[in-house]
Amino acid sequence: MIKKRRKIKETQKKDITNVNEELAVLKNSNQQNNVLANHYQLKPEYGTGCILNFITDDVNLNISRYLLHKDFTYKLPVQKNTIQISFLLTGEKIIQIDQHREIFYENKESYLVNIDGFNGINRISGKKFFKEIKINIPINFLTMHGLITDCEIKTISDSNLILPITDELHSILDHLERKEISELTNSLYLKAKIFELIALQLEHYKNRSGINLEVTHDKTLKKLYVIKQTIKNNVDKNYTIKDFSEKLGITSNTLNKEFTRIFNYSINEYGKHEKMKAAKNLLENSEKLVYQIAEETGYKNATHFTAAFKKMFNLTPKEYRNKL
C-alpha cells in the first residue's frame, strides 16, 4: 500500500503566539529613539542563526537569518486589521490557505497582503538557509499616513500575489539588512525605509498586473507544483520521472528527492494515489464498467487496475462499489 500524503494540516505543527519566541531565545533587548530592538538567537534544537526584531509605533520589522534542522510547521492566532509585507531573500516557505490551496513561496520573491482574519498554516523548509525581511503594520497606520486605501491591498487568496524582488527593492533590503542594530533604532530612518518599501511594492503590483510569476531555473517549489498539478489533472496518462527530469533539466534522483521532501511521497506514489482517488470517485458517482474506469485512470487492462485497487483498499473495484 502506498504511503499517504501527510498534508500540512496533518503534520506535526505548533499553535503559537510568537514565532520568534518559539524558535529562539532573547539574547538582548534595548530601547532608544522610540524603537524597541530585540536580538534572538535560535534554539539549538531548531537550528542555528538569529532573528532581529524592531518595533516602533505599532510597526513590527523582523529580519530572520537561520538554518533549521528540519521543516518547521506552525499556525499563528488570527491576525486582525494587519498588513504584512515580506521579502524572502533565500529559502522556502509554503503557506496553506485552506485544505485545497497553497502558496509556494521561495527565494527572491515578495508579497504585500492584508492578512486580516487569516487562519492558515506556514511551513518553513529545513536544511535550507532562510533569510526573510518581514513587516507587520496595522492598516489604519498606513491609511493615517496617506499611503494606501483598503482596496489597493491584496488578500492572501488573490492571484498574482507573489512577485519577484526587483533590483530597486533588493538594493533597499540589502542596505537595511547590513545596518547595525544601533542604526536601525532610529525611528525616523526605520519608518522611512518601511514606507519606501511599501510604496515600491504597491507600484510593482500595478506594473505586474495580470502577469504570472515565471518559473525560472531557481524556483524549485514552482517546478514541483507544476509536476504535481500535471499528474493530478492527467490521471489517464502514465508519466515517468524521466519525462519530468528531462523537461525541467533536473536529474531524476534529485527531482524525486525534492518532490518527496515537499509532498511526503515520491512522484510514482503520488501518481498511483491520484489514479486511485479518481477511480473511487468514478465508482461512487458513475455507472461506468470497471474496464472503462481502468482506461480512464491509465491502466492497460482491467486486471492490472483491479490488482492495484485491491492493493490499496483491500477490496476489488466491484466489492468496493457493492459496499456503497
Side-chain angles (χ1 to χ4, degrees), residues 93-293:
K93 182 190 286 186
I94 299 176
I95 304 169
Q96 182 168 335
I97 302 172
D98 54 38
Q99 189 175 358
H100 304 290
R101 292 180 295 173
E102 295 170 330
I103 295 172
F104 293 86
Y105 186 45
E106 50 197 317
N107 53 296
K108 299 178 183 177
E109 293 181 351
S110 63
Y111 64 76
L112 190 155
V113 65
N114 181 350
I115 56 172
D116 182 34
F118 176 60
N119 195 34
I121 296 167
N122 297 273
R123 171 180 159 195
I124 299 172
S125 293
K127 299 181 181 179
K128 285 182 176 286
F129 189 65
F130 185 82
K131 184 161 66 172
E132 179 189 35
I133 295 178
K134 183 169 64 178
I135 305 157
N136 284 344
I137 304 179
I139 293 174
N140 59 6
F141 185 88
L142 292 184
T143 53
M144 181 177 65
H145 287 80
L147 273 177
I148 61 166
T149 61
D150 292 345
C151 62
E152 293 176 311
I153 303 299
K154 288 182 175 290
T155 64
I156 197 73
S157 59
D158 283 346
S159 60
N160 300 317
L161 174 66
I162 306 299
L163 294 179
I165 298 175
T166 64
D167 290 341
E168 188 174 12
L169 282 167
H170 199 280
S171 176
I172 298 169
L173 295 166
D174 185 61
H175 191 260
L176 190 65
E177 188 191 3
R178 291 177 185 274
K179 282 285 188 180
E180 297 294 331
I181 292 179
S182 58
E183 295 177 284
L184 287 171
T185 51
N186 182 315
S187 178
L188 185 61
Y189 170 83
L190 196 61
K191 285 192 285 188
K193 286 300 176 186
I194 289 172
F195 289 155
E196 187 176 6
L197 289 170
I198 291 171
L200 286 172
Q201 188 73 353
L202 288 172
E203 185 65 25
H204 193 20
Y205 275 117
K206 290 179 183 178
N207 294 338
R208 295 278 300 190
S209 178
I211 302 175
N212 291 321
L213 190 68
E214 296 176 358
V215 182
T216 56
H217 70 281
D218 62 335
K219 302 303 179 189
T220 302
L221 287 179
K222 305 292 187 303
K223 289 181 178 180
L224 297 176
Y225 180 73
V226 168
I227 293 172
K228 178 173 174 282
Q229 290 302 110
T230 300
I231 295 172
K232 183 182 180 68
N233 296 334
N234 299 277
V235 294
D236 60 319
K237 294 181 174 61
N238 295 300
Y239 296 103
T240 66
I241 297 173
K242 188 177 179 181
D243 292 333
F244 294 117
S245 67
E246 290 178 347
K247 184 176 181 180
L248 298 176
I250 305 173
T251 66
S252 296
N253 287 340
T254 300
L255 180 59
N256 208 38
K257 182 179 178 181
E258 289 294 287
F259 193 93
T260 304
R261 176 176 68 85
I262 296 300
F263 300 115
N264 293 302
Y265 45 26
S266 71
I267 290 174
N268 286 337
E269 288 171 340
Y270 179 71
K272 292 176 184 177
H273 172 78
E274 288 301 308
K275 287 177 183 294
M276 291 298 102
K277 187 166 74 172
K280 278 183 67 176
N281 183 59
L282 289 169
L283 287 167
E284 293 170 1
N285 300 293
S286 78
E287 296 182 358
K288 292 183 178 180
L289 299 177
V290 171
Y291 83 87
Q292 293 174 309
I293 295 175

